[in-house]
Amino acid sequence: MSNLINSNKRKINVKPKHEVSINEIEGNDSKQTFNVNIKIDNTVRNSLIAISNLGIAPNQKEAVAYLVQQFHDNLDPDNQRLFDLQVDVLNKKDAKLHESN
């Protein structure tokens, strides 16, 4: 038991050979976001406003994000994986297109 208590007495200063950013680990370089426009009818717009007015989301943009997350959470694991893969591919495509502009 005393070995467990004394095990932290020898402190070794460990430093990595190479430091990386969180973007390198997660591959977030392709997740560059920019504004786009979508056409929706007034009923959908009013539904988004209602979600915002209920306090579920602070604005229409966040209401859409909330609904997408709810949709994602209700998918079975296989479809969640496919959905995530498709979104990742589309984000990478957008990043390449936006990079060249």
Side-chain angles (χ1 to χ4, degrees), residues 96-101:
K96 283 185 180 180
L97 290 174
H98 200 66
E99 192 176 88
S100 64
N101 289 337

Side-chain angles (χ1 to χ4, degrees), residues 55-72:
I56 295 171
N59 53 47
Q60 293 176 43
K61 176 182 164 187
E62 292 299 319
V64 171
Y66 171 80
L67 293 172
V68 169
Q69 186 62 50
Q70 291 297 312
F71 173 80
H72 180 273

Side-chain angles (χ1 to χ4, degrees), residues 75-94:
L75 292 172
D76 61 79
D78 288 336
N79 280 325
Q80 281 183 354
R81 184 181 56 76
L82 290 172
F83 180 87
D84 292 339
L85 180 63
Q86 289 182 22
V87 170
D88 187 50
V89 167
L90 293 167
N91 281 337
K92 287 178 182 176
K93 177 184 164 199
D94 283 346

Side-chain angles (χ1 to χ4, degrees), residues 40-52 60 63:
I40 57 174
D41 63 37
N42 65 314
T43 303
V44 172
R45 183 202 59 199
N46 292 339
S47 298
L48 293 172
I49 293 170
I51 289 171
S52 179
Q60 293 176 43

Side-chain angles (χ1 to χ4, degrees), residues 15-42:
K15 292 185 179 179
K17 289 182 182 178
H18 175 67
E19 292 183 13
V20 296
S21 70
I22 193 71
N23 286 342
E24 290 174 301
I25 295 170
E26 294 180 347
N28 284 346
D29 296 333
S30 68
K31 295 189 178 181
Q32 178 183 13
T33 60
F34 50 90
N35 291 332
V36 296
N37 294 319
I38 59 173
K39 288 190 177 222
I40 57 174
D41 63 37
N42 65 314

